Amino acid sequence: MSARILVVDDVDANVRLLEAKLTADYYEVLTAHDGLTALELAAVERPDLILLDVMMPGMDGFEVCRRLKEASDTRHIPVVLVTALDGRQDRVTGLEAGADDFLTKPLDDVILMARVRSLTRLKTVMDELRQREESGRKLGLLDGGARLNGGGGRVLIVDDHERQAERIAAELRIEHRPVVEHDLDKALLTARGPVDLVIINAASRSFDGLRFAAQVRSTEQGRTVPILAVVDADDRPRMVKALEIGVNDLLPRPVDPQELAARVRTQVRRKRYTDFLRNRLDQSLEMAVTDPLTGLHNRRYMTSQAEALVARAARGGDAVSALLLDIDHFKSINDTFGHDVGDEVLVEFAVRLATNVRAIDLPCRYGGEEFVVIMPGASMTDAERVAERIRLHVSAAPFTVRDGRSIPVTISIGVAATLGEGDTPEALMKRADQALYEAKTTGRNRVVARAA
């Protein structure tokens, strides 16, 4: 998978070397030699990954990383800090600045490429979710979201080294909710639940930690759970394999408490953001087919469903009936009591409508005070019977609104059913509309069926 990578280093030879390696693997490479240029390029070009040198004059890599993560348009770009420094505090400083990883020079090409592939895969998923969220926002389906923190995470620790597991849990209890599990079956079950991060000892002796990670990834719920693998710093093959199977991050042994805290915080924050995006996507899809006032399906959804059902009926499938319902004299309700009360009447009517149709029927708000019920597999006789039940239930008791007033409400209903070959949704709805018009012009508060 190709991607666009921004390489930032004040030493031209280092830039050329990284550019050559990445280009050979078919990545598109952008370059910058100082922090300010890197910030400008990142904001304009939006690369999929930034390889950022730490030791640069003027603005060092830590500060560049911090600014990238503070800016709304670049905070989701993965950043790998590249440096000759190999001190614990430098690593922690980089991670706390928001870096996704910290690689030391001279770079191990295999580890580098594995990390690049892992982070660019993640960026692709994030971009798709963000793009869909943005589409929903442009349509007015979503509002803006706040930044999410990385504390209070539910962390599952899977480790057969009891003392190491307890040390990790003790450190995480400061700001998270860790659970240690030694039984693999129980751990796999827990990983399928509401977990923000799974920490696996990849060097476990009693079980294969990477195989367990692969098992987590193979489940539907586990595909989106971040995995942090604890590995021996010199076990290069295991590190590469971990990244290949979908482990999100690596934590070298012996475990440094501050580095552990920084890496866990990053992963929990990212999990919450991806959950936030997925939830917003589900919300936008739901809102796209739902009437916001009544909670019933909207006209768009009704139209798409009716097209498929009527087409099936026209090919010899089960008949489809349609009810077109209109609240009698609804304008006078608005004029007399106000639009707020009118909205309350619409909401209560939607409840009475939904509770009097069959489970397979599709009650929808057609627009204004008009509603539609699409009835798969229902004959004209069946539809008339349901329509009459709805009419009686609406007129039997007045609608009580919030201020305590009672408003008598009646409805008129037009009923139509498919005619077989050659019928269309438009023709079906036209017949139902003609029947509704007849019901309204002949006294209202009645059901009229139109066979053809």
Side-chain angles (χ1 to χ4, degrees), residues 191 193 195-198 216-217 221-227 246 248 271:
V195 174
D196 294 311
L197 175 66
V198 177
V216 172
R217 278 287 176 262
Q221 302 93 328
R223 286 182 192 134
T224 61
V225 177
I227 299 176
N248 298 77
K271 171 64 162 55

Side-chain angles (χ1 to χ4, degrees), residues 10-57:
D10 63 312
V11 179
D12 189 57
N14 292 339
V15 172
R16 289 173 179 270
L17 180 61
L18 268 177
E19 184 177 13
K21 290 177 179 179
L22 293 167
T23 303
D25 262 22
Y26 302 101
Y27 290 103
E28 181 182 343
V29 180
L30 307 170
T31 63
H33 292 85
D34 60 82
L36 285 175
T37 304
L39 291 172
E40 293 170 1
L41 267 176
V44 174
E45 300 292 341
R46 309 287 177 86
D48 298 299
L49 176 67
I50 299 175
L51 297 178
L52 177 61
D53 185 43
V54 171
M55 302 300 291
M56 295 187 296

Side-chain angles (χ1 to χ4, degrees), residues 206-227:
S206 64
F207 66 91
D208 187 336
L210 295 188
R211 186 171 298 280
F212 179 79
Q215 287 178 313
V216 172
R217 278 287 176 262
S218 68
T219 65
E220 182 177 353
Q221 302 93 328
R223 286 182 192 134
T224 61
V225 177
I227 299 176

Side-chain angles (χ1 to χ4, degrees), residues 196-347:
D196 294 311
L197 175 66
V198 177
I199 298 178
I200 299 172
N201 181 5
S204 294
R205 294 183 179 181
S206 64
F207 66 91
D208 187 336
L210 295 188
R211 186 171 298 280
F212 179 79
Q215 287 178 313
V216 172
R217 278 287 176 262
S218 68
T219 65
E220 182 177 353
Q221 302 93 328
R223 286 182 192 134
T224 61
V225 177
I227 299 176
L228 174 62
V230 180
V231 296
D232 290 325
D234 57 353
D235 193 348
R236 179 171 170 269
R238 196 182 296 269
M239 294 169 70
V240 173
K241 180 57 69 175
L243 293 170
E244 287 178 350
I245 66 174
V247 166
N248 298 77
D249 201 3
L250 304 173
L251 180 65
R253 296 173 61 190
V255 174
D256 177 86
Q258 279 189 277
E259 183 171 353
L260 167 69
R263 290 188 185 274
V264 168
R265 200 177 298 118
T266 296
Q267 294 303 321
V268 169
R269 185 185 300 115
R270 181 177 290 145
K271 171 64 162 55
R272 286 177 175 165
Y273 184 67
T274 55
D275 285 349
F276 169 79
L277 291 178
R278 287 190 173 93
N279 290 338
R280 298 303 279 292
L281 175 58
D282 291 342
Q283 179 189 358
S284 68
L285 293 174
E286 181 69 21
M287 292 178 70
V289 298
T290 303
D291 174 59
L293 176 64
T294 64
L296 299 179
H297 291 303
N298 60 18
R299 183 169 182 167
R300 177 189 301 169
Y301 182 82
M302 182 277 295
T303 300
S304 66
Q305 296 300 307
E307 286 177 353
L309 291 169
V310 173
R312 192 179 307 150
R315 295 193 300 268
D318 292 338
V320 178
S321 292
L323 312 182
L324 185 55
L325 309 91
D326 184 86
I327 298 177
D328 296 331
H329 305 295
F330 184 72
K331 184 178 183 300
S332 67
I333 294 176
N334 277 334
D335 292 344
T336 303
F337 301 99
H339 288 277
D340 289 347
V341 171
D343 286 348
E344 290 185 55
V345 169
L346 291 173
V347 171

